[in-house]
Amino acid sequence: MRKNRKINFRDLVNENKKMLMNDEKFMEEIERKLDEKHMKNV
């Protein structure tokens, strides 16, 4: 059996961040939402 490694929260966040930063469609969607939010506040 393979030993499950314990991952701490910081490592998990960093791993997820790397995955999301490599996902261009996701990044474009976030940028669009941020732009809309800022346009509303102006």
Side-chain angles (χ1 to χ4, degrees):
M1 272 175 78
R2 192 171 65 123
K3 193 175 191 180
N4 290 337
R5 70 178 176 113
K6 293 266 184 183
I7 187 167
N8 63 26
F9 183 73
R10 179 175 289 154
D11 291 341
L12 183 63
V13 168
N14 286 333
E15 192 175 307
N16 286 341
K17 184 177 176 182
K18 280 184 209 169
M19 287 172 51
L20 293 175
M21 293 296 274
N22 289 331
D23 186 348
E24 280 191 40
K25 275 187 3 183
F26 180 77
M27 292 302 292
E28 288 173 7
E29 182 67 20
I30 288 180
E31 288 173 1
R32 186 184 61 79
K33 286 181 181 180
L34 284 173
D35 287 344
E36 286 177 6
K37 181 179 176 183
H38 289 291
M39 294 304 288
K40 239 193 277 187
N41 292 336
V42 171

